Amino acid sequence: METMKHWSLLHECIVVCLLFTTVGKGSACEAPSSPECFRRTAEAPEYRCEWSMNKTTESDVTFDLYMNNVIRNKDAPKETWIIITKDELGIVEEEYYIWVEARIGNSSCASTKTSVVLSHTVKYEAPKHISMSWLKNNLSLSWTASEKHPAAAEIRLRRDAHRTDSWKHITKHTTSDTSMHHVLVENLLKDTVYQVKIRHRSTKALNPLWSDWSPVVIVPAELEQKPEVTMNITLSNGTRKVALTWKKMPHAATYSLNDTQSSNGCNCTKNRYRNNTTETTYTAFVSYSAVKISVIGRNAAGSSPPAILQVPAVQAAGLKICDNTSDLRERLKKKTYVELYELQDGDSRPENVMHLTAKSTKKERMDMKDYVRYLYFKHKCVGRKLQTVTMCIYYQKEDAPQREPQNFTAFSETHTSTNLSWKAIPSADQRGFLTHYSLCSVKDSSQDERKECHKISASVMKYRLGNLTQGTKYHVSLVGVTRVGEGPEATLTINTPPEKPVNVLWSLCLLILFFLLTTLCTCILKRIKENIFPAVPTPVIPDCIPFQPESQDFLERKEEVDEMTLLQLHPEGKSVPEDAEESAVLAGEWEEDTDEDEDNKRWDSRMSGESSDEGLSPGSTGEALRSSREGDITDVEQLDNEIAMLIYKKGLVFHVKRDSL
């Protein structure tokens, strides 16, 4: 102990002398920082000493690290750090006095002397592999743990949009697992981008030192929404082309894609989808079986909810039972895949799926249930595309159905027929491939009636039963049939209604009513026609008989005309009314030509009488004229009476009324 004290006193004297020497030499060099000597963990076998220069103007600066007056860096005098093993130091539990001396040419300067117990000093490396995630408005930070026990952490953060703002300091103790330190920073804004840097130190060492600051990391905002993805499917020869497009998400750096076929080994390329991509479109080729594709946006703070797209299996109508399933008993060839979907009622997407590849074992190939319906798909890789070559229904073992058709009912019954409907037997109860339904009917009148049966397709759920007898009771049964046999039957009873007699009275009444309505409509139409389109009368033209002279000599006789005046005389005591005069005028204008013909006729008749009596004297001639005048007066009176009786009706027809004599 005495020796140690003497060495300590000697060391202090040397340091003081060096300091005075440095000051005395002026400002030729600047003293380095005090050195730090430590180890990275409490169990590390090596110690690291490091220091720094605030300002270095010369490139030929050398350093001497003194530990209890012993230079430790003779092999690397120009470095600002040195690694010393425990074996080189010997005893590490004792206190060491350390300092650094810098030399530039003939000048030298020394750092401040410090004392340290090396075994008590631990300084972690700067935090590495920092990861982050948002938990509502709390930020979870994680980084690689230097030791298994918790550590103290100091966190600096600020908004990325305000980089000139001062840092916010937060000090917390971490929670640790075997490899990571975790800390939760509370009351932040999850939709805001932050800058963060971290340092930590041990909580177990007696003399812990803060680590260096980590590089500044950017914490992006949380991705709360899932990507908006659109999908377009095109069928092409056993393969479906699926084109995916999605909108670019704010704060998303990359996107990851995955599908169920690739994850189950059914892929034709080594990396069917890139785990991370910056693109917003992708085209994939999938088989005819059901596929689920997911698209996820990612950034440094986490991932968005997945956008899941269901690509349903291609619905092939009328699938038949598989006739060749040797792939289930033998090892599959390379690049050949088989999928078996256990079908469930009411769900087009199968729940349980078996994926068989060339690497599948015999136990995996035969691990199927009896009496269970499977949808069988066989795929092959053709030109780096997964192509479906076989689709069929598969049963490992079959039996007759264990339940009857459901909801068997009759409706719309007539005198000679009825409609029947039912629901299919549930797939789980069919226990085999349903080939058809058997529908039978029998009369209830006697026990000797023959049963009539009909085969109905397994895909049909309605049937019209005809050729029934009126007013008869029938028993109808329906069963499902598989290749093994018939299942339980569903039954019902129907009664066809009897024929109703025709009501003659009602028929007669309807016939009479129809006749009356027809007659009434005919009369109404005639009356409407007469009012709108009246009949145009045909004018009455009297027959004109041409005069034929009795002899040719009469025609050659020259006519002698005496001067005379014709007067129209009216009988005494008889006056002609004004209306008759007006009517006479009208009649004269209407039948002008007719009157002229009648006057000529009368004149010719008189002339004929005169010529026939050639031996008459002039006196007889005058007498003949008087009698002619009297005849003319009588004719005129008769004509006046006829004209006076003319009645004008509707401007179209003249009706003549004659008085009876």
Side-chain angles (χ1 to χ4, degrees), residues 296-312:
I296 302 174
R298 297 186 183 277
N299 60 21
S303 58
S304 69
I308 299 176
L309 295 94
Q310 299 285 352
V311 184

Side-chain angles (χ1 to χ4, degrees), residues 245-532:
T245 305
W246 59 90
K247 295 182 180 179
K248 186 174 181 61
M249 299 178 63
H251 310 297
T254 60
Y255 303 91
S256 64
L257 297 92
N258 194 14
D259 74 280
T260 52
Q261 284 188 339
S262 295
S263 60
N264 291 311
C266 299
N267 58 336
C268 297
T269 58
K270 291 183 178 180
N271 295 318
R272 181 167 185 172
Y273 292 130
R274 290 167 287 180
N275 289 333
N276 294 291
T277 178
T278 58
E279 299 176 0
T280 57
T281 59
Y282 195 81
T283 300
F285 293 91
V286 300
S287 66
Y288 279 4
S289 60
V291 182
K292 183 171 66 176
I293 300 175
S294 62
V295 181
I296 302 174
R298 297 186 183 277
N299 60 21
S303 58
S304 69
I308 299 176
L309 295 94
Q310 299 285 352
V311 184
V314 174
Q315 298 296 328
L319 284 179
K320 297 182 179 180
I321 195 74
C322 297
D323 55 358
N324 183 13
T325 57
S326 59
D327 298 324
L328 301 177
R329 297 183 296 273
E330 301 174 0
R331 185 177 294 275
L332 294 172
K333 296 180 180 180
K334 189 177 181 181
K335 297 295 182 180
T336 302
Y337 310 97
V338 171
E339 291 181 300
L340 291 164
Y341 289 76
E342 183 179 338
L343 298 181
Q344 302 293 330
D345 289 310
D347 190 359
S348 60
R349 295 172 296 172
E351 294 182 356
N352 301 323
V353 185
M354 293 181 60
H355 302 275
L356 303 179
T357 65
K359 298 180 180 180
S360 300
T361 63
K362 183 176 180 180
K363 182 180 179 181
E364 291 175 338
R365 292 196 301 270
M366 302 305 295
D367 189 16
M368 288 178 288
K369 304 174 184 177
D370 294 337
Y371 316 122
V372 174
R373 187 178 188 181
Y374 289 92
L375 184 59
Y376 176 94
F377 288 95
K378 185 177 181 179
H379 316 301
K380 287 185 178 180
C381 288
V382 179
R384 304 184 69 180
K385 298 177 183 178
L386 198 61
Q387 187 179 86
T388 301
V389 295
T390 304
M391 289 179 62
C392 57
I393 300 298
Y394 176 75
Y395 281 93
Q396 179 165 285
K397 189 175 181 181
E398 292 187 73
D399 198 357
Q402 66 178 6
R403 290 187 64 183
E404 69 280 359
Q406 305 297 298
N407 298 338
F408 185 40
T409 56
F411 61 96
S412 301
E413 296 179 358
T414 65
H415 302 296
T416 58
S417 65
T418 184
N419 290 321
L420 304 172
S421 68
W422 62 91
K423 290 185 179 180
I425 302 172
S427 297
D429 298 319
Q430 290 182 12
R431 299 171 66 84
F433 186 76
L434 197 66
T435 58
H436 65 277
Y437 290 102
S438 179
L439 178 68
C440 298
S441 62
V442 62
K443 293 182 180 180
D444 189 45
S445 58
S446 67
Q447 299 295 330
D448 298 332
E449 289 291 340
R450 185 173 59 88
K451 182 183 291 187
E452 294 184 2
C453 295
H454 308 273
K455 281 188 177 182
I456 304 173
S457 172
S459 60
V460 175
M461 300 298 156
K462 289 183 179 180
Y463 187 78
R464 183 173 182 81
L465 183 62
N467 296 326
L468 303 179
T469 304
Q470 299 177 1
T472 307
K473 184 177 182 181
Y474 284 88
H475 295 288
V476 183
S477 63
L478 180 70
V479 297
V481 183
T482 65
R483 296 191 299 181
V484 177
E486 296 183 354
E489 64 179 18
T491 60
L492 59 83
T493 301
I494 59 175
N495 293 285
T496 56
E499 184 178 5
K500 295 181 180 180
V502 179
N503 196 328
V504 180
L505 181 60
W506 275 105
S507 300
L508 183 60
C509 292
L510 290 175
L511 183 60
I512 295 173
L513 179 62
F514 175 76
F515 176 76
L516 293 176
L517 289 175
T518 304
T519 305
L520 179 62
C521 292
T522 303
C523 296
I524 293 174
L525 290 174
K526 281 187 176 182
R527 181 59 60 87
I528 293 174
K529 182 178 179 181
E530 289 178 357
N531 291 333
I532 297 177

Side-chain angles (χ1 to χ4, degrees), residues 70-90:
V70 178
I71 299 176
R72 297 291 183 178
N73 62 334
K74 292 181 180 181
D75 297 334
K78 291 189 175 183
E79 301 293 339
T80 58
W81 57 272
I82 185 175
I83 300 295
I84 306 172
T85 65
K86 185 177 180 180
D87 295 337
E88 293 176 350
L89 292 173

Side-chain angles (χ1 to χ4, degrees), residues 33-49:
S33 65
S34 298
E36 288 183 340
C37 292
F38 53 85
R39 51 183 174 177
R40 292 301 188 187
T41 65
E43 303 298 331
E46 297 177 342
Y47 292 86
R48 178 185 177 93
C49 294

